[in-house]
């Protein structure tokens, strides 16, 4: 059911990437890893992962939206949000959606993989795990074109230092001045694990990335399809 929201703030996170805080007129119950749609028209609903976690959102919903110049689909949403913030108008959302939420009843280690602003999906899951004191091993791999795209890198490094069961691995495609892992984030994962058979894998990024992960992880690293979670899998 559509819900009216006020736009509380819009903050740049990186080049063409924004953190947007929404305040819905009524509480929105969701699970870590679900998404909402922004209603732009009767038949125009645009999906975005919820970056906040259920236990910590305190009546607010956080989104991370990448709106590069060539991405009118997301750019139009950001412009609509900016207009609502300036005028005090409402944004209409529909939530929650998605089946790729965290499986808390599983004892398996967790592998969180994000490409670009797909980080908002794994951010919700990671934050939920920390707030609920889930202690099983968690590995977070985040890939971007360059270090600038990894806008929460310092925060994640601090989290990993504070929690011995959490490992954060940033991966960039452009390596000028970069001393960490370079190249494709899926290749980085495959290089670091002999087998993914005993892991729950949560992934967010472009559809082609999710498709490649499912193909490569199941054939090369013994991952089980029923332990692969991502909203893209409902469409590919």
């Amino acid at each position: 059911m559509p819900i009216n929201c006020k736009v509380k703030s819009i903050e740049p996170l990186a080049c063409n990437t924004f953190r947007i805080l929404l305040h819905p007129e009524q509480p929105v119950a969701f699970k870590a890893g679900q998404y909402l749609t922004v209603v732009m028209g009767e038949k125009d609903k645009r999906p975005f992962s919820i970056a906040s976690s259920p236990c910590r959102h305190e009546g607010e919903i956080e989104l991370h939206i990448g709106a590069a110049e060539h991405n009118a689909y997301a750019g139009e949403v950001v412009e609509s949000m900016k207009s609502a913030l300036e005028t005090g108008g409402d944004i209409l959302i529909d939530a929650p959606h998605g089946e790729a939420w965290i499986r808390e009843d599983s004892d398996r280690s967790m592998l969180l993989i994000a490409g670009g602003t797909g980080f908002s999906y794994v951010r919700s899951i990671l934050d939920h795990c920390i707030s609920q004191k889930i202690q099983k091993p968690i590995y977070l791999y985040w890939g971007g074109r360059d270090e600038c795209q990894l806008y929460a890198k310092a925060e994640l490094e601090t989290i990993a230092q504070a929690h011995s069961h959490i490992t954060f691995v940033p991966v960039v495609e452009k390596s000028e001045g970069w001393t960490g892992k370079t190249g494709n984030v899926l290749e980085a994962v495959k290089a670091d694990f002999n087998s993914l058979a005993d892991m729950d894998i949560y992934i967010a990024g472009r559809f082609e990335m999710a498709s490649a992960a499912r193909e490569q992880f199941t054939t090369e690293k013994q991952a089980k399809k029923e332990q692969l979670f991502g909203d893209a899998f409902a469409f590919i």
Side-chain angles (χ1 to χ4, degrees):
M1 183 175 177
I3 301 165
N4 285 313
C5 297
K6 294 295 184 185
V7 180
K8 292 199 68 176
S9 64
I10 300 176
E11 172 193 352
L13 289 169
C15 182
N16 298 315
T17 302
F18 301 89
R19 175 191 283 123
I20 298 174
L21 288 180
L22 302 177
H23 188 81
E25 66 178 10
Q26 63 194 66
V28 178
F30 66 94
K31 298 176 182 178
Q34 289 194 295
Y35 67 91
L36 58 74
T37 61
V38 177
V39 181
M40 299 290 284
E42 186 177 346
K43 296 183 178 180
D44 185 1
K45 298 182 179 182
R46 307 186 187 187
F48 297 95
S49 292
I50 301 172
S52 39
S53 64
C55 296
R56 295 198 192 186
H57 79 293
E58 296 177 349
E60 292 182 349
I61 294 176
E62 180 176 335
L63 305 177
H64 298 178
I65 300 181
E69 290 181 9
H70 64 277
N71 185 0
Y73 188 84
E76 291 167 0
V77 172
V78 172
E79 290 305 312
S80 181
M81 298 278 192
K82 287 180 178 178
S83 176
L85 179 62
E86 291 170 0
T87 63
D90 289 341
I91 288 291
L92 199 60
I93 67 167
D94 197 337
H97 296 282
E99 304 296 324
W101 64 77
I102 181 174
R103 269 44 178 188
E104 294 187 64
D105 57 350
S106 170
D107 294 326
R108 289 182 289 270
S109 300
M110 296 172 61
L111 175 58
L112 312 179
I113 305 172
T117 52
F119 169 68
S120 56
Y121 166 74
V122 301
R123 163 68 181 274
S124 177
I125 293 174
L126 179 67
D127 195 47
H128 182 74
C129 288
I130 293 171
S131 70
Q132 298 304 297
K133 296 181 170 55
I134 294 173
Q135 294 296 311
K136 59 188 175 184
I138 300 171
Y139 303 88
L140 193 162
Y141 283 68
W142 186 12
R145 285 193 304 274
D146 50 41
E147 187 175 0
C148 177
Q149 271 207 318
L150 307 183
Y151 48 83
K153 175 175 171 287
E155 176 191 1
L156 292 173
E157 288 173 340
T158 300
I159 288 172
Q161 288 171 0
H163 301 274
S164 60
H165 64 292
I166 297 174
T167 301
F168 168 52
V169 182
V171 185
V172 302
E173 296 173 13
K174 297 179 180 179
S175 58
E176 185 176 347
W178 174 257
T179 57
K181 286 184 177 289
T182 60
N184 181 283
V185 68
L186 300 184
E187 294 298 327
V189 170
K190 290 192 295 179
D192 287 352
F193 295 94
N194 292 325
S195 173
L196 299 174
D198 296 323
M199 303 189 84
D200 288 329
I201 303 169
Y202 298 84
I203 185 165
R206 295 180 180 273
F207 277 14
E208 53 265 36
M209 172 187 165
S211 179
R214 183 169 62 185
E215 170 72 20
Q216 294 171 22
F217 290 173
T218 56
T219 58
E220 300 174 33
K221 295 294 177 178
Q222 300 83 50
K224 297 179 174 64
K225 284 188 176 180
E226 64 270 20
Q227 292 164 207
L228 276 165
F229 305 99
D231 291 315
F233 298 139
F235 303 95
I236 58 175

